[in-house]
Amino acid sequence: MAPTQATIKDYAILPILLPSSPALSLPSPATHTLYLRPHAPKIPTEADERALFLVNVPIDSTASHFRAIFAHLLGGAGRVEDVIFEGEKRNVSNALVELENSKAKDANKGKKRKRGQDEDMEAPELPAVWDRKLHRSGSTAVVVFVDTRSVEAVLKAVKKLHKSGKESKYPVWGKGLEDKVEKLGSARYAAHHALRYPDVKTLQQNVDMFMTVFNSKEERKKREEKRGRNVPDEDGFVTVTRGGRVGPARREDAEEKKREMEEREEKKRKEREGEGFYRFQVRERRKMEQGELVRQFEEDKKRVEKLRASKGKRGIRPEN
């Protein structure tokens, strides 16, 4: 057979043989095409140079399938570290960073754990109700190898496969995995029905783990609030937070300051109301004040005249 097309644009073409599968409505064997290239995301990570980006993965793909495929291409030396499928909750870039972090954690396994490291754990997910995930047609995946040599060796093996032009050398999808991956068809739905009703022990473990994470987050929140009571912010104010029976000693002082502040605000509000907010209110207030002064002046003037008149009757005249 003549050599087939080996590449299309930046992608290397990897043909694989799909065996017949009644569960996938595949009555006879067929050839499926995978497209792969070195992984080059927009946000690079340290693991990109040892990862391949795959397009058009089969809908029943698992990590075991890809390990078997690349082991076949490399003569049993395929060293796949992880497979990240499209649509997984973990982001591809984050997953690659997690791989690097996991190696560092393994290296520090014997070291003493510091206080507060358990606070970063996430709440557990609910028990799975499907034993195997199916992917959409034409989806993508990222395969991470243990080193860059494996990536280069896979790309060379794909080129050599096209030069031979023999379909017999094409890797067979799922070969040797018959008893290592979950079944499809009616067996898949029977397993789904069973997983919908987990046992009491599994549920209890899930609830206990969730409560452990929840209590850890609550304790961390309380510690942060306690620190915030005594730490001024950018404007120099100390945050007033709710304390419990075990609240800080300065809680009473904070409440007293709060009352004083409210009294000052109330006093200012009343003063503003008395002065008037609009111009006509200010004018009216000034007129009233002037009228009151004139009235008092007239009253004082009459009182003086009375005093003078009463003194004149007694024979006492006022001095000129």
Side-chain angles (χ1 to χ4, degrees):
M1 183 181 292
T4 57
Q5 184 178 357
T7 59
I8 177 170
K9 292 188 177 180
D10 297 334
Y11 291 87
I13 299 175
L14 173 60
I16 57 177
L17 294 176
L18 298 179
S20 59
S21 173
L24 298 177
S25 301
L26 195 64
S28 59
T31 302
H32 184 84
T33 304
L34 281 175
Y35 304 93
L36 53 142
R37 64 168 171 80
H39 188 45
K42 294 181 180 179
I43 302 176
T45 63
E46 296 180 358
D48 293 338
E49 58 184 9
R50 53 188 181 88
L52 285 176
F53 179 70
L54 276 61
V55 180
N56 196 35
V57 301
I59 63 173
D60 61 337
S61 301
T62 64
S64 300
H65 282 90
F66 287 113
R67 286 191 172 91
I69 290 293
F70 292 120
H72 173 84
L73 291 175
L74 301 178
R79 301 165 66 189
V80 176
E81 183 174 350
D82 194 12
V83 180
I84 305 153
F85 292 99
E86 176 187 339
E88 290 188 351
K89 289 186 177 180
R90 55 177 181 162
N91 182 273
V92 173
S93 299
N94 293 342
L96 295 178
V97 173
E98 287 173 5
L99 286 175
E100 297 296 327
N101 295 339
S102 64
K103 290 184 177 181
K105 288 181 181 178
D106 292 339
N108 299 329
K109 224 172 200 180
K111 295 183 179 180
K112 187 176 180 181
R113 179 176 294 179
K114 295 182 180 179
R115 180 183 177 183
Q117 287 184 350
D118 293 335
E119 297 177 352
D120 297 331
M121 54 184 174
E122 296 294 332
E125 298 181 359
L126 295 174
V129 296
W130 292 99
D131 59 352
R132 181 175 174 181
K133 182 180 179 181
L134 296 182
H135 310 279
R136 69 173 182 85
S137 178
S139 61
T140 61
V142 175
V143 180
V144 185
F145 295 86
V146 295
D147 52 23
T148 55
R149 292 186 196 175
S150 300
V151 174
E152 296 170 356
V154 167
L155 296 176
K156 289 180 181 178
V158 172
K159 291 181 180 179
K160 190 182 293 185
L161 184 67
H162 284 279
K163 287 181 180 179
S164 67
K166 296 180 180 179
E167 288 189 6
S168 59
K169 292 190 176 181
Y170 289 177
V172 180
W173 187 252
K175 185 178 181 180
L177 302 177
E178 291 79 5
D179 298 329
K180 296 181 181 178
V181 295
E182 293 76 9
K183 303 292 183 182
L184 297 177
S186 59
R188 166 179 166 83
Y189 289 95
H192 170 62
H193 178 74
L195 290 173
R196 289 178 62 192
Y197 305 96
D199 59 285
V200 177
K201 183 178 179 181
T202 303
L203 284 176
Q204 188 63 49
Q205 290 177 349
N206 192 272
V207 171
D208 292 344
M209 192 177 299
F210 177 86
M211 293 306 301
T212 300
V213 175
F214 177 79
N215 292 334
S216 176
K217 290 182 177 180
E218 287 295 309
E219 289 295 329
R220 179 171 54 184
K221 184 179 178 181
K222 289 180 181 178
R223 287 198 296 269
E224 291 175 354
E225 289 180 352
K226 186 176 181 180
R227 287 196 299 267
R229 293 188 185 110
N230 301 322
V231 178
D233 57 13
E234 297 177 354
D235 299 326
F237 294 98
V238 177
T239 305
V240 179
T241 57
R242 292 181 61 186
R245 294 182 180 178
V246 292
R250 296 181 57 189
R251 177 181 169 189
E252 292 79 8
D253 297 337
E255 291 179 352
E256 181 64 25
K257 293 292 182 182
K258 185 179 179 181
R259 283 194 295 270
E260 293 178 359
M261 186 182 300
E262 290 176 351
E263 291 175 358
R264 286 198 299 269
E265 292 294 331
E266 183 67 19
K267 185 177 180 181
K268 289 181 181 179
R269 185 181 64 81
K270 290 182 178 180
E271 289 178 354
R272 287 196 299 269
E273 290 178 354
E275 293 176 356
F277 181 78
Y278 298 101
R279 286 186 177 181
F280 77 89
Q281 292 177 331
V282 177
R283 289 197 299 268
E284 292 294 331
R285 182 178 58 81
R286 288 178 179 174
K287 286 181 180 180
M288 291 175 61
E289 291 177 354
Q290 291 175 359
E292 182 68 19
L293 291 174
V294 172
R295 186 183 63 79
Q296 291 180 0
F297 175 75
E298 293 295 335
E299 289 180 355
D300 293 341
K301 186 177 178 182
K302 290 178 181 179
R303 191 179 301 114
V304 170
E305 291 296 333
K306 276 185 181 182
L307 290 174
R308 285 179 178 176
S310 62
K311 289 180 181 179
K313 288 180 181 179
R314 296 175 186 173
I316 301 175
R317 297 181 179 179
E319 296 180 359
N320 294 328

